Amino acid sequence: MKVLFAAGECYPFVKTGGLGDVVGSLPKYLAECGAEVSVVLPLYGDIPYIYRSKMNYIKNFTVPMSWRKQYCGVFKYTKDNVNFYFIDNEYYFKRSGVFGHGDDGERFSFFTRAVLMMLKELDYRPDIIHCHDWHTAMIPVMYKAEFQYYEFYRDIKTVLTVHNLKFQGVFRRDMLGNCLNLDDYLYRDGTMSYYDCINFMQGGLKTCDEITTVSKTYSHEIEEPFFGDGLDGVMRECRDKLTGIVNGIDYEIFNPKTDIYIEKNYDEDSMAGKAVDKLALQKELGLDEGKGVPIISMVTRLTSQKGLDIVKECIEDIICRGVQLVVLGTGDSDYENYFRYLDDKYTGSVSANIKFDNGLAQRIYAGSDIFLMPSLFEPCGLGQLIALRYGTIPVVRETGGLKDTVQFYNEATEEGNGFTFYDYNSYELKRAINTSLDYYSDKRQWKKLMKNAMKCDNSWHKAAGEYISLYQKLLTKNGEEGIALEAAPDEVV
Ligand code: ADP
C-alpha cells in the first residue's frame, strides 16, 4: 500500500502547530504497519540548513498556472523509512514564515498542481493521496476534474483530514482559472462556490473519497453551525464518508524518560526527576523557587479559540492563591500584551514567553504541575496529550478531542486523568482550576493522578491501525482485492 501525505507543514522541518506534529509523526507509524509512506511539502525558506544539506535534488519541471509558467524543483530526504519530497519554487516559498502571506491562495494552488504533476515526473503512483487541511484540499478537486482521466493516475484514492475547520482557504472566484487552471464550472455546479468566493476546504470535502477529522467528538460537532463555520451543511452532506480518529503523539519525541531538553529524566515508576525539572524551570524563567508552589502552564497559540478570554477573567484570582503561571505562545497582540502585563505585575509568580520554542515547551510540560487548555473549540488538541505523557495534569473544557482524551478524576474509584468543565465561562473554569489545586495539596491523590496520566496510551499505534483500516476499506470499495500489508491492522493495534 503506497500512501502519499501532502501537507503545508511537517515537524521537524517546519511547524506552526498540531498539524505539523501529526504530519511529522503519523507516517512513521504507518510505515511500521507495513505501508510505504511518502510526504510532500513546500521547500520553505525556514527549513533549517541541517535538513536542507541532507536533501538530494531529484529533477525539475514546469508548472502551468494560466499565463504563467512556474519552475518546480523536487528534492528528497529519507528518514525512518519515510520519503520526504520537497517542492521548490523560491518565488513562492523562500520567505520567512510559513502561512499568512497575502498570496497563500496562489502559493497553494501552485503546490497542488506541482504535487500531482510530480507523481508522473517521478514515475511514482501512490494508491492513496492523504491531504491535510485547506492547503492541500484542492488536490482531490484537481484530481477529479483533470488528472484522473490520464492512464497513469487512474484509480488513485484521496483522503482529506480536517485538522481545524476554522481555516478554510476562501479566495476570489477568478483564482479558479487564474491560479488553479481549472474551469469555472466548478464554481457553477456548487463544488467550490462559497458566497461570491471559492472555498478550498469545501471543494476538498465534496470531492475526496474519505474525510477524517482528528477526534470523534469533533466529527459530530462540525455538523453544527457553531463548529462548522459555514461548512456545517457540507459536513452533514458528507456524513457517510466522515470518520473521527483521535490523534496520537510521537512517543519518541515526547518521552520524559529520554527527553534531551529537560534537566532530569523520569518515568511513571520513578518521578523524582519531575521535581528537579520544576526547580530548573523556575530558575530558567526567573520564578520564585519552591517545590511546593503549584505551577500552572499553557503552551499554545494565543488566539480566542484557546479560551483566553475566560482565562483573562479569572487568572488573577488564581495567581493570588499563591500559584505560579507559565505561558509560552505567540498570536494575537492583545493576548501577548496581556500576558506581558501579568509577567510585569506578578514578578516571580508569572512568566510570559512570547515566542515559539520547542525545547522550552518540553521543559514546561515536564516542569509544571497543571496544564490549562480551556478551549472554546478544539478539534483534537495535542497539548493535553503531551502534558499527560509528562505527568502534568490537564484542566480542559469538554469539547472536541479534549473531551475524548481527558476524564474528570474520580476520588472514589481513583480513575480519571484530569479536570474538566463544560459551560464556557470563567466561573466554571475557575471552579475546575480550584478543584485541581485542592487535589494538588493532597499528595497521595496527586501522585495517583500523575500515575493515571502517565499510564494513558496516546501513542500513534492505535490511530495508525485505524488509518490503515480506512485505507484498506477505500481500496477494496471498487471490488478490488485491497493491498497487502506486512501486518494486519488489528495485529498492529
Ligand atoms: P493547534 O494545532 O490548534 O495550535 P495543538 O494543541 O493541536 O494546537 O498543537 C499545538 C502544538 O504546538 C503542540 O505540540 C504545542 O506544544 C506546540 N506549540 C504551541 N505553541 C508553541 C510555542 N509557542 N512554542 C513551542 N511549541 C508550541
Side-chain angles (χ1 to χ4, degrees):
M1 180 192 286
K2 290 187 197 155
V3 184
L4 173 67
F5 270 44
E9 59 177 293
C10 172
Y11 183 83
F13 310 107
V14 272
K15 164 174 156 179
T16 68
L19 170 63
D21 281 319
V22 172
V23 178
S25 52
L26 176 57
K28 185 167 74 180
Y29 291 86
L30 293 173
E32 276 178 19
C33 297
E36 191 186 311
V37 194
S38 301
V39 179
V40 57
L41 67 148
L43 184 63
Y44 294 110
D46 278 358
I47 295 179
Y49 177 73
I50 172 175
Y51 299 114
R52 277 176 176 265
S53 60
K54 291 185 192 142
M55 292 175 192
N56 292 318
Y57 166 79
I58 307 287
K59 73 181 301 186
N60 74 75
F61 51 91
T62 301
V63 174
M65 294 177 74
S66 182
W67 50 270
R68 310 170 205 77
K69 304 269 175 282
Q70 298 289 22
Y71 167 88
C72 173
V74 181
F75 286 77
K76 187 178 174 185
Y77 170 76
T78 304
K79 183 172 168 272
D80 298 326
N81 288 325
V82 178
N83 292 321
F84 294 91
Y85 293 103
F86 296 87
I87 297 290
D88 178 31
N89 176 298
E90 296 197 348
Y91 170 65
Y92 288 128
F93 301 124
K94 196 179 177 191
R95 328 172 169 181
S96 78
V98 177
F99 309 127
H101 299 281
D103 59 348
D104 277 1
E106 183 176 333
R107 296 166 79 218
F108 286 98
S109 296
F110 164 78
F111 184 65
T112 300
R113 187 167 288 278
V115 169
L116 285 166
M117 287 181 68
M118 177 193 87
L119 305 182
K120 179 98 193 305
E121 294 286 339
L122 302 190
D123 194 21
Y124 160 61
R125 184 198 168 281
D127 301 298
I128 309 243
I129 305 178
H130 189 154
C131 309
H132 298 266
D133 273 354
W134 75 263
H135 320 103
T136 50
M138 283 305 290
I139 289 179
V141 182
M142 197 177 279
Y143 173 76
K144 289 270 160 72
E146 192 180 319
F147 283 78
Q148 65 161 336
Y149 298 110
Y150 297 105
E151 183 57 35
F152 178 84
Y153 291 88
R154 190 162 295 163
D155 280 339
I156 295 177
K157 302 291 178 202
T158 53
V159 176
L160 173 60
T161 294
V162 178
H163 294 261
N164 195 336
L165 202 53
K166 183 90 185 156
F167 306 106
Q168 300 178 357
V170 177
F171 303 105
R172 279 167 44 165
R173 174 178 177 177
D174 62 8
M175 194 174 276
L176 256 182
N178 260 340
C179 297
L180 288 152
N181 256 20
L182 294 173
D183 196 278
D184 191 62
Y185 81 81
L186 287 166
Y187 180 90
R188 295 194 302 273
D189 75 2
T191 306
M192 297 294 302
S193 58
Y194 187 77
Y195 302 96
D196 285 340
C197 297
I198 56 168
N199 184 319
F200 278 29
M201 184 71 107
Q202 172 182 304
L205 293 170
K206 287 193 170 184
T207 50
C208 71
D209 297 303
E210 284 287 329
I211 305 169
T212 71
T213 186
V214 289
S215 70
K216 300 236 176 321
T217 298
Y218 191 60
S219 75
H220 302 305
E221 288 175 339
I222 50 184
E223 292 184 4
E224 295 167 22
F226 174 75
F227 296 96
D229 246 294
L231 291 184
D232 46 298
V234 177
M235 295 315 311
R236 289 194 294 275
E237 229 175 79
C238 296
R239 184 179 293 161
D240 291 346
K241 57 173 183 178
L242 170 64
T243 314
I245 301 178
V246 180
N247 280 336
I249 51 168
D250 191 322
Y251 265 35
E252 283 168 26
I253 295 171
F254 301 112
N255 184 356
K257 202 172 172 179
T258 53
D259 192 328
I260 50 164
Y261 290 111
I262 64 179
E263 181 79 12
K264 190 148 175 64
N265 293 112
Y266 60 94
D267 61 20
E268 62 185 86
D269 298 319
S270 81
M271 303 238 226
K274 191 164 170 67
V276 178
D277 292 328
K278 180 170 177 172
L279 287 172
L281 183 69
Q282 287 170 324
K283 197 167 184 178
E284 176 180 351
L285 301 181
L287 296 169
D288 299 337
E289 288 172 46
K291 267 200 298 195
V293 191
I295 301 183
I296 298 181
S297 63
M298 297 186 84
V299 178
T300 181
R301 284 184 292 121
L302 298 175
T303 65
S304 55
Q305 177 199 331
K306 301 295 179 178
L308 299 168
D309 47 350
I310 57 173
V311 170
K312 263 173 100 169
E313 282 172 24
C314 68
I315 202 68
E316 290 198 59
D317 290 352
I318 301 288
I319 296 165
C320 292
R321 265 191 77 168
V323 167
Q324 294 180 346
L325 175 72
V326 172
V327 178
L328 170 63
T330 54
D332 298 352
S333 54
D334 280 2
Y335 293 124
E336 290 185 350
N337 290 337
Y338 174 71
F339 287 113
R340 284 190 187 111
Y341 154 80
L342 283 186
D343 185 315
D344 248 23
K345 184 169 174 186
Y346 298 98
T347 311
S349 296
V350 175
S351 167
N353 305 274
I354 310 302
K355 58 181 174 179
F356 200 96
D357 183 337
N358 290 318
L360 178 57
Q362 279 169 238
R363 288 192 290 283
I364 293 174
Y365 286 115
S368 53
D369 301 292
I370 295 165
F371 188 76
L372 207 54
M373 218 161 153
S375 307
L376 178 60
F377 67 96
E378 194 60 72
C380 178
L382 298 181
Q384 84 283 10
L385 303 184
I386 305 170
L388 287 166
R389 177 88 166 131
Y390 283 81
T392 300
I393 305 305
V395 173
V396 306
R397 178 157 177 270
E398 290 164 27
T399 181
L402 296 172
K403 183 170 178 208
D404 294 354
T405 56
V406 180
Q407 294 82 38
F408 203 101
Y409 181 66
N410 180 334
E411 189 177 333
T413 59
E414 297 196 335
E415 285 167 354
N417 56 11
F419 299 94
T420 67
F421 66 101
Y422 178 73
D423 288 328
Y424 187 76
N425 61 57
S426 58
Y427 174 78
E428 291 294 325
L429 169 61
K430 190 170 156 186
R431 199 155 71 147
I433 298 176
N434 278 330
T435 310
S436 72
L437 291 172
D438 292 344
Y439 276 100
Y440 178 82
S441 47
D442 180 336
K443 281 216 161 46
R444 198 189 68 81
Q445 295 282 358
W446 196 255
K447 217 171 170 178
K448 178 69 194 155
L449 247 167
M450 289 206 293
K451 276 219 165 230
N452 288 0
M454 293 181 82
K455 271 199 195 133
C456 297
D457 182 7
N458 291 308
S459 69
W460 270 114
H461 288 109
K462 186 166 171 290
E466 289 181 53
Y467 278 109
I468 294 281
S469 302
L470 185 112
Y471 298 154
Q472 291 275 27
K473 183 181 91 182
L474 205 51
L475 294 173
T476 45
K477 245 187 189 168
N478 295 344
E480 294 164 11
E481 289 283 297
I483 291 180
L485 287 165
E486 279 164 27
D490 4 341
E491 285 168 33
V492 175
V493 178

